[in-house]
Amino acid sequence: MAYDEDDSGNNKRYAIIGVSSMLLVAMVVAVTVGVNLNNDEAGGPTSGTKSNEISASVKAIKSICQTTDYKKDCVDSLKSNANNSADPHELVKAGFKAAMKLLQAAAKQSVTLQQLEQDPRASQALAGCKELMDFAIDELKFSMSRFGDFDTTHLDEMLIDLKIWLSATITYQETCLDSFENTTGDASEKMKKALKTSMRLSSNGLAMVTEISSMLTDLKVPGIGRRRLLDAPVVVGHEDYPEWADPGIRRLLAAKGNVKANFVVAVDGSGDFKSIQSAIDKVPKRKNNETFVIHIKEGVYKEYVTIKKSITHLMLIGDGPKKTIISGHKNFFDGITTFKTATVAVTAEHFRARDIGFVNTAGPHKHQAVALRVQADKAIFFNCEMHGYQDTLYVHTMRQFYRDCIVSGTIDFIFGDAAVVFQNCIFLIRKPLSNQQNIVTAHGRKERRQPSALIIQNCTFKADTDLAPVKNVFRSFLGRPWKEYSRTIIMESYIDDVIHPDGWLPWSGDWGLKTCFYTEFRNYGPGSDTSKRVKWRGVKVLTPAHAVDFTASRFLLGDRWIKATGVPYAPGLTMRRHSEV
């Protein structure tokens, strides 16, 4: 709705007052997960005489819960922890305390089940569930810190952050359940039952935050809305640097040649460390978000690297993706859950990598084998390569940006539930086993409100050298819906004739075909003809105005954290055509 200039200040104040209360209560719903998970350990709701008088707290809770899909769970969870308080701060305090206790109980329960479990694969899945719940707890703690000081200046960013983090919480729980694939025993059913309510409440929290964002857009509150996402200058940190950057990071990301590094890793012993993990383990705590740079010299590093969430603002620089290579071979066939097969796993925010190769050498006969798993918010990979076969690149959660990278594989070799943009990348489709077919992407968006998508812009799809001579023998597809609301956008890209005319492949029967969101916009090349594509309800046709919504500037707010790094970056549509590939 429109408003006069004289009323804009009042409108903003009223909206902020309202949204602060709604936002804080929404946080309660989002974090009060698993209320029925373990009442013996976490403590269930206390019984007592019901009051005939409906408190202000109950009225507020019922009103807010109307926006959710699971209203009863929403109301019950808040009523049991609100203590009849109408103070949003008290509600948040009670909600966070309950959430932390319940998630810790869930993690403890997974450990208990693991000790009793006889199936090694199920036992490993339970261990993974504990790790995933720990990730969820970390996200909730970070959210509490971020929203403790309610910053109206960057309210849109705060709401977007919250949706990203809540989406990750949903994905972590779903990943826990996914890890029980091909296990025996009843551990899977026990965890599914344990997570039922927590997943509903996470969904409810995301629903309410989405409603708040829509409400503010409708109110036309300054700082909220699509135009702001495109037009606003970078007003964070100092000058044009984002909040994570220290002076010189732009130069480091753009550098071609020797760089000034804090640590040097060299497999031949000529650096400070011989292994990458040993260097990462020695990264000191820093103040003011100072970026720590590790130079990894040329060589093949046969090791498994984990960058923990506590090691933020880390940058790895190699000597080139074909010279500096991190190589592993863990795989699902040998009894390891997909989540744990990664050669390199990154969970720390503001991670940067350039000129590095990430490889899983397990081969196609070993099935799922991840080269790189990323769940780091605002992560950037520049001039890197990821090579494997099935499940090469696991874009698990959060916001990610890939520029000038090469990714190779066979089945679902780019998969996950991140909000991710690939620009100027090459996707090499490799030769699979004789009974297999190739699928480039498998997006894992479970909830319709999750702000995640695989966005591929100005990239190239083509057969690798081993597939090219026999590309007509094996069918290859752009993607398939791993989860019900899978969302993949391919635009302004070159698609070679390796791609089957159908374009998209079902996962199983009609699963997700009506609810997915798949689209191709202004692509070109012999495989880009959409006239013979599948006719699912979930395959969409984009207008130029809608396509802009999926550009890096708008979808990722990339002007605020990508642009200032110096990495080549297209904020909007490029309208570019390749004359040759």
Side-chain angles (χ1 to χ4, degrees):
M1 69 181 193
Y3 59 88
D4 295 332
E5 193 69 31
D6 293 340
D7 294 331
S8 61
N10 285 334
N11 279 350
K12 180 178 179 180
R13 283 192 294 272
Y14 295 151
I16 295 304
I17 291 170
V19 80
S20 61
S21 296
M22 291 178 68
L23 180 59
L24 292 173
V25 176
M27 288 291 292
V28 175
V29 175
V31 302
T32 310
V33 296
V35 295
N36 68 344
L37 181 63
N38 193 322
N39 283 336
D40 291 336
E41 291 186 9
T46 58
S47 61
T49 304
K50 293 184 178 180
S51 173
N52 292 326
E53 181 181 5
I54 300 177
S55 68
S57 174
V58 173
K59 289 181 180 179
I61 289 170
K62 286 187 175 181
S63 176
I64 291 168
C65 287
Q66 287 303 308
T67 65
T68 67
D69 292 338
Y70 306 101
K71 295 177 179 60
K72 186 178 184 302
D73 297 278
C74 175
V75 171
D76 290 348
S77 63
L78 289 182
K79 285 173 67 176
S80 65
N81 290 283
N83 295 323
N84 290 325
S85 173
D87 183 347
H89 291 84
E90 289 301 315
L91 291 173
V92 167
K93 186 177 179 180
F96 268 88
K97 285 183 177 179
M100 300 306 170
K101 187 176 182 181
L102 289 167
L103 280 173
Q104 288 163 359
K108 185 176 180 181
Q109 181 173 331
S110 67
V111 172
T112 301
L113 289 172
Q114 182 186 7
Q115 293 169 346
L116 299 173
E117 184 57 59
Q118 298 299 312
D119 178 9
R121 195 183 289 274
S123 178
Q124 188 181 127
L126 288 164
C129 284
K130 181 187 183 305
E131 183 177 356
L132 288 158
M133 289 177 194
D134 288 341
F135 288 144
I137 291 171
D138 287 342
E139 292 308 322
L140 298 176
K141 287 180 179 179
F142 188 78
S143 298
M144 184 65 168
S145 174
R146 177 74 168 91
F147 285 91
D149 181 15
F150 198 78
D151 180 8
T152 60
T153 305
H154 301 297
L155 187 57
D156 58 340
E157 290 184 72
M158 295 170 69
L159 290 170
I160 290 169
D161 285 347
L162 184 54
K163 286 189 282 187
I164 288 290
W165 300 332
L166 292 179
S167 178
T169 301
I170 294 169
T171 303
Y172 292 148
Q173 294 172 81
E174 183 73 2
T175 303
C176 166
L177 299 180
D178 286 341
S179 63
F180 290 97
E181 180 183 0
N182 296 331
T183 62
T184 62
D186 59 357
S188 175
E189 288 303 313
K190 287 181 179 179
M191 289 307 300
K192 186 180 296 184
K193 183 178 179 180
L195 292 173
K196 179 179 179 180
T197 301
S198 66
M199 295 184 79
R200 286 183 173 184
L201 294 182
S202 298
S203 173
N204 285 347
L206 183 59
M208 288 188 293
V209 173
T210 302
E211 184 70 16
I212 291 166
S213 184
S214 298
M215 180 193 72
L216 291 178
T217 300
D218 292 342
L219 285 172
K220 297 186 178 179
V221 176
I224 301 292
R226 291 181 174 177
R227 297 308 306 165
R228 171 71 182 271
L229 303 190
L230 276 178
D231 299 338
V234 180
V235 193
V236 287
H238 47 74
E239 299 179 347
D240 65 341
Y241 291 101
E243 59 186 352
W244 56 267
D246 58 289
I249 190 66
R250 183 186 184 99
R251 189 168 58 254
L252 286 171
L253 275 165
K256 293 182 179 178
N258 295 329
V259 297
K260 178 68 175 178
N262 299 95
F263 287 162
V264 175
V265 179
V267 72
D268 62 5
S270 62
D272 302 306
F273 300 90
K274 293 184 69 174
S275 78
I276 300 166
Q277 189 65 58
S278 60
I280 291 171
D281 290 342
K282 293 296 184 179
V283 173
K285 293 184 178 180
R286 286 147 287 136
K287 297 180 179 179
N288 302 322
N289 295 334
E290 181 182 357
T291 299
F292 196 90
V293 180
I294 298 177
H295 176 205
I296 307 171
K297 295 177 71 175
E298 179 177 352
V300 177
Y301 296 81
K302 296 183 178 181
E303 59 176 301
Y304 297 96
V305 177
T306 299
I307 300 167
K308 296 180 180 179
K309 195 172 181 64
S310 58
I311 309 176
T312 63
H313 306 92
L314 177 67
M315 182 174 179
L316 302 183
I317 301 178
D319 286 339
K322 290 180 172 59
K323 294 180 178 180
T324 298
I325 299 169
I326 310 173
S327 177
H329 55 80
K330 289 182 180 179
N331 60 84
F332 184 84
F333 185 83
D334 289 343
I336 301 173
T337 60
T338 303
F339 181 75
K340 301 298 289 184
T341 63
T343 301
V344 176
V346 185
T347 65
E349 292 184 330
H350 304 300
F351 176 79
R352 307 287 181 258
R354 66 160 298 165
D355 299 330
I356 297 174
F358 303 88
V359 178
N360 191 310
T361 62
H365 59 292
K366 294 287 188 174
H367 305 298
Q368 297 94 323
V370 177
L372 174 65
R373 186 186 87 231
V374 184
Q375 58 199 69
D377 200 16
K378 299 182 180 179
I380 295 178
F381 292 81
F382 174 40
N383 193 36
C384 291
E385 295 186 13
M386 302 86 182
H387 296 297
Y389 285 87
Q390 183 171 350
D391 292 359
T392 303
L393 175 58
Y394 193 174
V395 288
H396 191 198
T397 59
M398 305 297 183
R399 287 163 286 195
Q400 305 175 25
F401 180 70
Y402 296 77
R403 176 75 188 206
D404 298 347
C405 293
I406 298 175
V407 189
S408 72
T410 54
I411 301 172
D412 307 332
F413 64 90
I414 301 172
F415 75 112
D417 188 32
V420 55
V421 173
F422 293 87
Q423 287 187 352
N424 282 53
C425 294
I426 298 174
F427 305 122
L428 297 177
I429 304 171
R430 305 179 78 170
K431 181 181 178 181
L433 297 177
S434 59
N435 61 341
Q436 294 178 335
Q437 52 195 345
N438 294 311
I439 309 99
V440 179
T441 68
H443 193 241
R445 185 168 170 249
K446 173 180 168 55
E447 296 276 349
R448 60 191 171 92
R449 297 184 182 92
Q450 286 183 281
S452 54
L454 284 174
I455 300 172
I456 296 171
Q457 181 185 19
N458 201 25
C459 293
T460 297
F461 294 78
K462 65 179 183 179
D464 202 357
T465 53
D466 61 346
L467 177 64
V470 291
K471 62 184 177 182
N472 293 328
V473 176
F474 299 93
R475 302 197 309 167
S476 298
F477 299 87
L478 295 171
R480 60 175 178 165
W482 179 27
K483 300 297 179 181
E484 191 171 5
Y485 291 90
S486 176
R487 182 162 60 170
T488 301
I489 297 92
I490 301 172
M491 55 188 183
E492 302 181 314
S493 294
Y494 177 87
I495 303 176
D496 206 349
D497 60 2
V498 66
I499 296 298
H500 190 275
D502 284 355
W504 309 93
L505 181 71
W507 184 272
S508 177
D510 61 357
W511 164 256
L513 304 189
K514 296 180 180 179
T515 51
C516 67
F517 186 102
Y518 286 163
T519 189
E520 300 170 63
F521 177 78
R522 289 182 179 170
N523 298 314
Y524 59 104
S528 66
D529 182 6
T530 59
S531 64
K532 295 181 180 179
R533 293 293 194 247
V534 291
K535 306 301 181 184
W536 310 337
R537 184 186 298 177
V539 174
K540 310 295 184 181
V541 176
L542 286 190
T543 64
H546 194 185
V548 171
D549 290 336
F550 296 108
T551 57
S553 174
R554 210 171 257 190
F555 194 78
L556 294 180
L557 287 184
D559 285 359
R560 303 185 186 183
W561 61 277
I562 302 172
K563 185 176 180 180
T565 65
V567 169
Y569 160 69
L573 297 174
T574 65
M575 305 297 183
R576 178 179 169 184
R577 295 290 184 271
H578 290 242
S579 58
E580 60 181 5
V581 176

